[in-house]
Amino acid sequence: MRTKELPKTLPAFFWFFIKKHWVLFALVQLFAFAWSIDHTFWPYILMMLIDTITKIGVDRSEMWSLLTTPIWMGITLWICVEISFRLSGIFLAKVLPRIESDVRMAMVSYVEKHSYNYFSNNFAGSIANKISDMVQSMESILRLVMQLFLPVVLALIIATVLFAMINLYFALILVSWLIVHLGISLAFSKNCARLADVHALSRSTLAGKIVDSLTNHNNIRLFSRHKYEMQYLSKFQRDEQQKHWLSLWYIEKMKFAMGIVTFIGAGIVMNWYMLYSWQQGSITTGEVVFIFNTSWNITMMAWIAALELPTLFKEIGVCKQALTIIQEPIEIEDDLHAKPLKVTQGIITFENVTFNYLPNSNIFQDKNITINAGEKVGLVGFSGSGKTTFVNLILRYFDVEKGRILIDGQDIAMVTQDSLREQIALIPQDASLFHRTLVENVRYGYLNATDEDIVEALRQASALEFSEKLPQGFDTLVGERGIKLSGGQRQRIAITRAILKNAPILILDEATSALDSVTEKLIQDSLKILMEGRTTIVIAHRLSTLSGMDRILVFKEGKIIEEGTHVELLELDGHYATMWNMQAGGFLPDMNEA
Ligand SMILES: Nc1ncnc2c1ncn2[C@@H]1O[C@H](COP(=O)(O)OP(=O)(O)OP(=O)(O)O)[C@@H](O)[C@H]1O
Ligand SMILES: [Mg+2]
């Protein structure tokens, strides 16, 4: 499915998924109408039964033959209604999981195409919640509409017609009561839904606070703040409790108003007119039973439907909220005529590139730079000087404002994003892993890697030894984001992935920053082999790790203020030399190797 085509309004969104299974939905609806038939035709059969019985004289021997029709009608109705209920349930059981899976997968697929920037601004947890909210609320809306509201509407129509057949005034009383009843429920429902929203918001704030508190359990322990934390949370708990009460209290008020209308309309007026008509002899005893029973059933149905109306509005609100993640356009899309990137040499060129995260933040202005084929370039500069941004632009995590970035002469904005990122192996500053097994995480670099490839890559990245020692070896689950591994171990897994990926362009963003100098030295040797014949960009704070670079670019506030080899830059005695001298104060045991 091309997720881009997902509709942006709620009715269109629902219809988009329902129409794929419209036959099943139609069957569910058809059989769900059994409820309406059940509640209106039973009293009708009862009426026939009573009218027949009351006509029988003292000799009751003919009763069975006289009652044949209503008895058979009753048996048939009973069986048909039972079968219909079961069929409706079965078809619903068939279609709901399908539509839920369609919606969930389409939404996940769409959201995963959002840009790097989108995920920097939105919590993954809240996006996942919205997707599951949409699935759950869609299910309850479908159930409410198909199994409650539409059958109630049909029952009302049938009852009105049957009443009118007896006496038009009964139909008139029923319809008038219904209009007032519906008016009251609609008037209250909007507010009910609003109060439920307010409560839901306060509940989710409370849940967020509890999660934050539990996540920071170490801080609580460290500062002995258990009591403080409980006091802090109880503020939010009180707010939630108050809003819950307001929402429930309002529903009670609605029930009160509905109760009065029902008592007057269905209770007093209808029953008085029914008894009055019987007294006048214009209706039979059977008809009294029919009218009494039907209006009772209809009152119950309308009552249940009215109570569920706020839920319907609330669920629609939830779905609208969830739909916002689909309404937000995908920021970075492949050009319509995008072709796959072909890397022959690996030359990276920035041509008059201007880029800002925020207006006037001045990250890059008119930047021109070429990284030659197979060149090893080091990027240095203080934290926040734009090194990672430089790499993010090459990966097209962001689009440039002006200018172009070319790889082997091809504008990266005009090639497919998949092909671009396939040609680049990045070892990121903060390596994060999936909560899957170690081997699954490693294989992410190259899905077709054999076990031997994996062992060899792990060995090269000095990750084999610790991997084998894990409780379940390669099959050990690494924890959320890889939390069960140390920072340095995670980095080595990221390096292993890059080795397996075997891409012509290699980027190391502080790839060895979390390692001790002995392990770092071991890996540096493997990385040197990996860099052979590839265009390589290495970002490092420890300047000694850049000793083997062909060129070093010195970043300061988004500008490249110096460039040259390590020796040239020292001779220049500028920013780089200052940084080097600061680090040479004993932080770097191996700096003399440079
Ligand atoms: N997603 C973002 N949205 C807005 N501003 C950002 C974003 N990412 C980075 N920045 C800002 O851009 C500037 C450059 O950040 P960048 O990550 O490129 O620095 P860096 O040189 O890699 O720093 P470090 O050495 O700490 O990794 C910083 O001022 C940072 O606050
Ligand atoms: Mg960085």
Side-chain angles (χ1 to χ4, degrees):
M1 186 192 314
R2 285 190 52 198
T3 44
K4 270 182 226 170
E5 290 161 8
L6 281 183
K8 312 286 182 208
T9 62
L10 200 58
F13 183 85
F14 273 28
W15 180 239
F16 180 83
F17 292 98
I18 289 174
K19 73 171 182 237
K20 272 175 65 190
H21 309 287
W22 75 268
V23 177
L24 278 174
F25 276 110
L27 289 169
V28 172
Q29 189 60 78
L30 184 71
F31 292 113
F33 282 140
W35 197 42
S36 338
I37 309 280
D38 192 36
H39 278 51
T40 43
F41 278 85
W42 265 120
Y44 198 80
I45 293 170
L46 204 59
M47 173 183 79
M48 291 169 75
L49 200 88
I50 288 170
D51 277 345
T52 313
I53 288 175
T54 46
K55 276 184 206 136
I56 298 173
V58 190
D59 177 16
R60 297 183 175 179
S61 59
E62 289 195 1
M63 184 195 78
W64 291 113
S65 59
L66 290 170
L67 288 182
T68 314
T69 316
I71 287 175
W72 277 114
M73 278 174 74
I75 291 173
T76 316
L77 182 66
W78 192 310
I79 293 173
C80 286
V81 164
E82 269 311 307
I83 292 176
S84 296
F85 277 155
R86 296 297 85 76
L87 285 177
S88 177
I90 290 167
F91 288 126
L92 195 69
K94 256 188 152 350
V95 77
L96 274 184
R98 287 189 199 180
I99 196 166
E100 282 180 14
S101 125
D102 289 354
V103 170
R104 193 178 292 117
M105 294 315 281
M107 287 183 82
V108 173
S109 166
Y110 184 90
V111 169
E112 279 190 350
K113 292 203 174 88
H114 271 308
S115 63
Y116 176 91
N117 196 30
Y118 179 88
F119 286 99
S120 317
N121 294 322
N122 292 279
F123 290 114
S126 122
I127 300 171
N129 276 344
K130 283 189 177 163
I131 295 175
S132 64
D133 280 354
M134 172 64 94
V135 171
Q136 275 171 16
S137 297
M138 191 176 186
E139 175 179 339
S140 50
I141 290 174
L142 288 174
R143 278 184 188 278
L144 282 173
V145 171
M146 295 202 305
Q147 296 191 314
L148 179 64
F149 292 114
L150 290 179
V152 168
V153 170
L154 182 69
L156 300 179
I157 294 171
I158 297 175
T160 312
V161 172
L162 292 177
F163 277 17
M165 279 161 61
I166 297 171
N167 180 334
L168 215 54
Y169 286 111
F170 287 117
L172 211 64
I173 296 170
L174 183 69
V175 170
S176 317
W177 168 73
L178 279 174
I179 289 171
V180 180
H181 181 80
L182 189 72
I184 290 182
S185 14
L186 277 178
F188 275 86
S189 286
K190 285 267 172 192
N191 247 344
C192 271
R194 188 184 57 76
L195 286 170
D197 274 353
V198 171
H199 173 223
L201 190 69
S202 137
R203 197 176 46 204
S204 90
T205 309
L206 173 66
K209 292 286 171 194
I210 293 177
V211 170
D212 186 45
S213 179
L214 292 177
T215 321
N216 277 294
H217 62 94
N218 249 348
N219 280 329
I220 301 175
R221 233 191 310 272
L222 193 60
F223 295 98
S224 306
R225 290 281 183 262
H226 177 76
K227 215 167 144 191
Y228 169 82
E229 205 57 24
M230 292 318 290
Q231 278 165 357
Y232 179 81
L233 290 179
S234 59
K235 269 188 302 194
F236 297 94
Q237 177 56 77
R238 274 197 299 277
D239 183 64
E240 188 272 346
Q241 193 180 330
Q242 171 69 4
K243 290 182 173 148
H244 196 181
W245 150 250
L246 287 177
S247 145
L248 293 177
W249 170 229
Y250 198 77
I251 293 178
E252 287 311 310
K253 285 202 269 191
M254 170 167 122
K255 283 187 193 168
F256 189 64
M258 279 177 2
I260 292 175
V261 173
T262 307
F263 178 67
I264 296 172
I268 296 180
V269 182
M270 180 72 87
N271 287 330
W272 167 80
Y273 188 65
M274 176 184 77
L275 293 173
Y276 172 77
S277 305
W278 185 82
Q279 189 189 31
Q280 298 297 307
S282 58
I283 59 169
T284 63
T285 310
E287 282 167 340
V288 168
V289 174
F290 168 70
I291 290 164
F292 184 82
N293 253 311
T294 310
S295 47
W296 180 257
N297 285 349
I298 294 292
T299 311
M300 280 300 118
M301 287 175 101
W303 181 271
I304 297 171
L307 286 187
E308 290 296 342
L309 216 53
T311 315
L312 182 74
F313 284 123
K314 193 179 108 195
E315 300 292 15
I316 291 174
V318 172
C319 285
K320 278 190 179 155
Q321 255 301 312
L323 203 66
T324 52
I325 59 175
I326 298 296
Q327 284 161 341
E328 247 177 86
I330 288 170
E331 276 183 313
I332 297 188
E333 295 242 49
D334 282 350
D335 187 84
L336 270 182
H337 308 292
K339 294 193 179 60
L341 172 72
K342 287 196 188 71
V343 177
T344 46
Q345 297 171 290
I347 306 172
I348 304 170
T349 317
F350 274 54
E351 244 181 40
N352 304 321
V353 170
T354 297
F355 173 77
N356 298 298
Y357 285 111
L358 302 167
N360 304 323
S361 66
N362 276 339
I363 299 276
F364 295 136
Q365 300 296 325
D366 269 331
K367 188 182 277 301
N368 283 297
I369 184 100
T370 299
I371 298 173
N372 297 316
E375 195 182 9
K376 290 163 207 36
V377 173
L379 307 187
V380 300
F382 289 133
S383 177
S385 57
K387 305 176 300 290
T388 300
T389 308
F390 183 78
V391 166
N392 285 346
L393 290 182
I394 298 176
L395 284 160
R396 204 180 162 210
Y397 282 171
F398 298 89
D399 272 330
V400 295
E401 248 172 71
K402 273 196 276 175
R404 299 191 301 169
I405 299 171
L406 308 164
I407 294 180
D408 285 345
Q410 302 149 78
D411 184 348
I412 60 163
M414 303 303 288
V415 301
T416 61
Q417 296 174 70
D418 280 351
S419 70
L420 169 69
R421 289 168 202 151
E422 261 162 30
Q423 308 291 345
I424 302 172
L426 166 76
I427 304 169
Q429 196 163 12
D430 174 25
S432 133
L433 304 180
F434 290 99
H435 180 38
R436 300 178 191 170
T437 63
L438 183 102
V439 69
E440 278 177 288
N441 271 292
V442 170
R443 199 170 260 132
Y444 219 75
Y446 178 53
L447 295 179
N448 294 329
T450 62
D451 291 350
E452 290 76 41
D453 295 338
I454 286 177
V455 171
E456 178 53 26
L458 283 167
R459 198 188 52 73
Q460 279 183 33
S462 303
L464 187 59
E465 202 182 322
F466 84 79
S467 301
E468 283 174 337
K469 281 191 193 145
L470 290 171
Q472 280 90 39
F474 291 178
D475 294 324
T476 308
L477 285 170
V478 298
E480 208 176 335
R481 297 175 66 85
I483 194 80
K484 289 189 191 168
L485 299 183
S486 75
Q489 288 171 339
R490 270 204 304 276
Q491 249 179 1
R492 280 178 278 170
I493 296 300
I495 294 171
T496 317
R497 277 176 174 173
I499 293 173
L500 281 176
K501 190 166 179 185
N502 195 19
I505 297 170
L506 183 65
I507 301 176
L508 285 72
D509 190 351
E510 291 284 332
T512 53
S513 59
L515 298 176
D516 61 277
S517 32
V518 177
T519 316
E520 185 178 21
K521 179 81 185 65
L522 283 173
I523 292 180
Q524 287 296 348
D525 294 341
S526 298
L527 288 177
K528 256 184 207 141
I529 301 169
L530 188 66
M531 288 179 204
E532 273 320 306
R534 294 173 215 268
T535 306
T536 309
I537 298 174
V538 180
I539 300 175
H541 280 301
R542 267 191 255 179
L543 303 182
S544 62
T545 52
L546 298 175
S547 56
M549 295 290 111
D550 299 325
R551 193 157 44 129
I552 294 171
L553 308 178
V554 184
F555 277 66
K556 192 178 177 192
E557 291 165 12
K559 291 189 185 62
I560 296 173
I561 51 164
E562 291 168 16
E563 64 175 280
T565 61
H566 171 67
V567 177
E568 285 166 2
L569 288 172
L570 282 187
E571 276 172 10
L572 196 70
D573 201 19
H575 193 62
Y576 181 84
T578 315
M579 286 171 73
W580 176 259
N581 289 331
M582 279 159 77
Q583 290 200 355
F587 295 112
L588 298 164
D590 50 354
M591 67 189 172
N592 294 329
E593 288 176 22

